Amino acid sequence: MAYRYRQPGNEDSFEEFCLVLLREHWSLPTLDRYGHRGERQNGVDLVDTGSASPLRGVQCKHHDLTKTLPPQEVTDEVEKARTFPERLGEFAILTTAKKSTQAQQRVRQINKEHAAKGLFIVRLFTWDDIERILDECPGGQECLGVQSPRALRRLLRAEVQPLHDGLRTQSDDLHGAELDEVKKQIGDGNLQLGALLLGRIRAKAWDRLSPRNRYRFCTFSADVEMRQGNEPRAAQLLLEAKTYQPNDDNAASNEIVAYELLGNLAKAFETASSSMSAHPHSAPIYAGALRTASSHSEFNRLFETRPDHFRDDPEIWLAAAGRQDIPPEKAEAISAR
C-alpha cells in the first residue's frame, strides 16, 4: 500500500517520533525515555514518569516498511516488559512494520493470558495504525516535517472563525460558572436553592448550553432528584445526560446507575459489559458490572480476573462488598480491606 507519511529513517529518530506522537495522542506530557541504549531497559523505551494510572510503557521497533513484525518478536518484548521494576498497566509496541494477522493474533493470545493472570494490556500499533493517529496529531506531523490536509483545514477554520469561537467560549464559561454554583449549593445540602438555580438556567439559556454543560445540568438535576427520593426521575436525567457526552467515562458509568435505579439489572449489566471494552480503565464501569452481575459465578469471574490496575481500587472492593451472594468468609475478607 502507499503510505501517506514518510517514516523515520532509523531507530533513534523513530523513538524520538514515538515520544512526540504519544505525548500528544495520549495527552501525556510526562511520557519520557527510559534509560538509554546499552542499559538494561526491560523491554521499555518510553515510560510515563508521572503518577497517572495505569502506568504506560512503550517499545519502539524500527523495521523495513515492507516487512511485518514477527510474532516471536512480540512475545520476546512482552516477556522483557514483565520484568519491568514497576507494575505496568499498559504496554504499547509501536513499529514501522506493516500490519499482519499473525502479529495481531499473538497480541490477542497474550492479552487473554494476561487477563487471566491480572497482567498488563498489550497494544500493537503498526505503521497503518500510526498514520491514522498522525491525522489528528499536528505535533507528530511536524516531527516528520509534514502536515496533513485535515490539519490544514482545521487551521484554516481556526483563522476564519476566531470571533465566533471567542464569543462561544465566553458564553460557555459563563454557564459553566453558573453550574459550578449549582454544584456548590447541592454539595452544601441546599437542594431547594440548587433546584431554583437549575430552573433559571433551563429557562434562560438551555438552547445556548454546550453539550458538556447540558451533561452537567442533567447530572446535577439527577443528584437533586436522588436526594429527594425520586429515583425514576433521576434515572431518566442520567440517561439524558449520556446523550450529550456519549464517550465520557462518567456518563457511561452513570448510565449503568440509571438502569439500576429503574430496577433493570439485566440492562445495567449489559450496558456495563459493553462499556468495559470502550473504557478499559474506568473503575466505576467495572464496579457497575460487579454490582449487577446476574450470578455469583459471573461476579466471581469478573472479580478474580479483574485487570491489574483494578487490583487495589477501593471502588472495586466496595462493589464486591455490596454483593449479597458471596460466601461469608469472602465477605469478611472483602470488608476488612
Side-chain angles (χ1 to χ4, degrees), residues 175-187:
H175 300 141
E178 292 174 333
L179 287 165
D180 287 342
E181 180 61 23
V182 170
K183 181 179 180 180
K184 178 181 182 302
Q185 294 301 332
I186 295 174

Side-chain angles (χ1 to χ4, degrees), residues 288-300:
L290 290 173
R291 289 195 308 271
T292 59
S294 59
S295 66
H296 174 66
S297 60
E298 182 65 21
F299 158 78
N300 197 58

Side-chain angles (χ1 to χ4, degrees), residues 279-311:
H279 307 276
H281 303 300
S282 172
I285 290 175
Y286 205 92
L290 290 173
R291 289 195 308 271
T292 59
S294 59
S295 66
H296 174 66
S297 60
E298 182 65 21
F299 158 78
N300 197 58
R301 180 187 68 80
L302 285 169
F303 186 73
E304 296 300 334
T305 63
R306 64 194 185 281
D308 187 63
H309 50 276
F310 291 153
R311 285 284 153 182

Side-chain angles (χ1 to χ4, degrees), residues 316-328:
I316 299 301
W317 287 90
L318 185 62
R323 296 280 302 194
Q324 301 297 315
D325 56 353
I326 57 177

Side-chain angles (χ1 to χ4, degrees), residues 47-280:
V47 69
D48 178 20
T49 58
S51 58
S53 179
L55 176 62
R56 282 167 157 164
V58 180
Q59 169 63 214
C60 308
K61 306 296 294 183
H62 187 272
H63 283 286
D64 189 309
L65 60 85
T66 64
K67 305 295 184 181
T68 60
L69 187 66
Q72 185 59 46
E73 194 166 349
V74 173
T75 300
D76 293 344
E77 295 302 332
V78 169
E79 288 180 354
K80 293 177 190 175
R82 288 177 188 152
T83 68
F84 192 72
E86 297 181 65
R87 186 178 291 272
L88 293 173
E90 183 175 330
F91 180 60
I93 301 175
L94 274 68
T95 179
T96 51
K98 64 181 182 180
K99 191 178 294 293
S100 74
T101 56
Q102 292 90 346
Q104 288 176 305
Q105 287 295 334
R106 183 61 56 88
V107 169
R108 178 176 173 80
Q109 177 187 356
I110 291 171
N111 278 332
K112 288 177 67 175
E113 295 172 357
H114 278 204
K117 298 176 181 178
L119 298 176
F120 53 80
I121 297 170
V122 179
R123 302 194 188 282
L124 175 63
F125 298 89
T126 61
W127 191 254
D128 312 67
D129 305 309
I130 291 171
E131 286 207 324
R132 284 190 287 272
I133 296 172
L134 266 168
D135 283 342
E136 301 295 337
C137 293
Q141 296 166 23
E142 184 179 351
C143 187
L144 295 180
V146 296
Q147 200 161 41
S148 73
R150 183 181 301 183
L152 291 174
R153 288 197 298 270
R154 186 164 57 244
L155 290 173
L156 179 60
R157 287 198 300 270
E159 289 296 328
V160 300
Q161 293 184 324
L163 179 59
H164 171 73
D165 291 344
L167 291 173
R168 181 174 59 191
T169 299
Q170 291 176 15
S171 174
D172 204 42
D173 287 347
L174 174 62
H175 300 141
E178 292 174 333
L179 287 165
D180 287 342
E181 180 61 23
V182 170
K183 181 179 180 180
K184 178 181 182 302
Q185 294 301 332
I186 295 174
D188 291 343
N190 302 321
L191 300 187
Q192 290 184 330
L193 180 54
L196 176 64
L197 293 174
L198 285 167
R200 287 179 179 174
I201 294 171
R202 180 94 194 196
K204 74 176 185 179
W206 179 257
D207 61 338
R208 298 194 302 278
L209 292 184
S210 66
R212 176 62 185 173
N213 280 336
R214 288 191 179 192
Y215 164 80
R216 296 184 71 204
F217 178 96
C218 289
T219 54
F220 294 158
S221 298
D223 194 0
V224 171
E225 297 290 349
M226 180 89 73
R227 293 174 189 241
Q228 293 177 337
N230 191 356
E231 294 186 351
R233 176 59 182 156
Q236 293 302 326
L237 285 163
L238 291 176
L239 292 174
E240 181 183 350
K242 174 69 160 41
T243 66
Y244 301 125
Q245 296 278 262
N247 298 318
D248 185 88
D249 281 13
N250 291 330
S253 63
N254 284 343
E255 183 182 19
I256 300 166
V257 172
Y259 288 120
E260 289 182 85
L261 293 175
L262 293 172
N264 192 344
L265 296 185
K267 181 65 175 177
F269 182 66
E270 176 188 339
T271 302
S273 299
S274 62
S275 297
M276 285 191 297
S277 59
H279 307 276

